[in-house]
Amino acid sequence: IYSFGVLLYELLSGHPPFNKGDITYQILNEKAETIPGLSDSMESLISRCLEKDYTERFNDFKDVLKVLSGDRISSKPTGGKREAMSVAMVYVEGGSFEMGSNENSDEKPVHNVTVDSFWMGKFEVTQKEWQRVMGTNPSNFKGEDLPVESITWYDAARFCNRLSEQEGFDPVYTINGTQVTCDFTKSGYRLPTEAEWEYAARGGNQSRGYTYSGSNNVDSVAWYYDNSGIKTHPVGTKQPNELGLYDMSGNVWEWCWDWYDKKYYAQSPSKNPKGPSSGAQRVRRGGSWDLLAEDIRSAYRNHSAPSYSNIYGFGFRLSRTVTF
């Protein structure tokens, strides 16, 4: 994708993006000059292809082709200017891990789970992203870079579908009132399964076995009761975990797809578990700014009715099935 961006840049400008002095230094540290006369969408496409951090580039060439064909161009809620939408996702290579812990009864038994590769949002969904897609902001603590909060599970599912439609992906959810089904084969955005969430929080196949997501030192990776000042904080301001994912411990709760069942671990399938077929409450993971350290461990489970939003503690993180 980076090489494609270089080629496209040269085709449109007549010269490479980096062609003077120490080219290696420029590639690693400098931003390519803007090509005069380009549309905002084409400039955005090239810029994203040339991102230094590969996790900030397009997920795959299907995404690039959608932008080139215009499918991923959408209107801002506040005006008529059109732009290429962008969501930072991290590729999580599939693997096996020991899910659960012996700390609480609903975290037992510890059991081996295997998950396929998937995409996971690098950050919790922010208020800026929510506002851009939904045109509203339900959050109590206001700030563009703060995680969106005070949302129900249904709100999160609707956001996933709307963002998928705006970016040219196939929506995964069929929503009929309170009846929601998920087609995991579709390319669109969705909530992670509980198993995907815990696998990613633990660092995936790069896990170092930390208690919290990214460290045994909770203050280095999480906003929680002892350091939050009783409020949320901008996403990505603590250290990431082994996969480059931020705030998977603390800040705001993150809704997952699964129905909650206290005894589910004892009967969970070992391959790509997706939770019980029905229930009364949905799983949420990661803890939030108002909890003690013991409640933001990577293995910690909690749950709420999908229609419940809490006052200012419930948010979410995007996921996508790998479809190529």
Side-chain angles (χ1 to χ4, degrees), residues 203-216:
N205 61 10
Q206 300 179 45
S207 176
R208 298 175 184 173
Y210 296 132
T211 299
Y212 310 101
S213 185
S215 180
N216 287 327

Side-chain angles (χ1 to χ4, degrees), residues 227-247:
N227 67 7
S228 70
I230 317 301
K231 61 182 180 180
T232 60
H233 288 261
V235 302
T237 51
K238 289 289 186 178
Q239 295 176 15
N241 76 354
E242 298 94 318
L243 296 175
L245 300 169
Y246 292 83
D247 299 303

Side-chain angles (χ1 to χ4, degrees), residues 26-87:
Q26 293 176 56
I27 290 172
L28 293 174
N29 298 283
E30 296 184 2
K31 185 177 178 64
E33 293 182 359
T34 300
I35 302 173
L38 284 189
S39 65
D40 289 344
S41 59
M42 184 58 70
E43 181 181 330
S44 177
L45 182 147
I46 293 175
S47 176
R48 190 170 175 190
C49 286
L50 295 179
E51 283 286 352
K52 309 298 183 188
D53 182 351
Y54 77 93
T55 65
E56 299 287 351
R57 299 174 202 150
F58 290 99
N59 295 332
D60 53 61
F61 270 103
K62 289 182 180 180
D63 290 358
V64 176
L65 291 172
K66 284 184 173 69
V67 173
L68 287 173
S69 65
D71 289 347
R72 296 186 70 188
I73 304 301
S74 62
S75 298
K76 289 183 178 180
T78 55
K81 184 179 179 180
R82 297 168 70 83
E83 63 174 15
M85 298 285 281
S86 172
V87 177

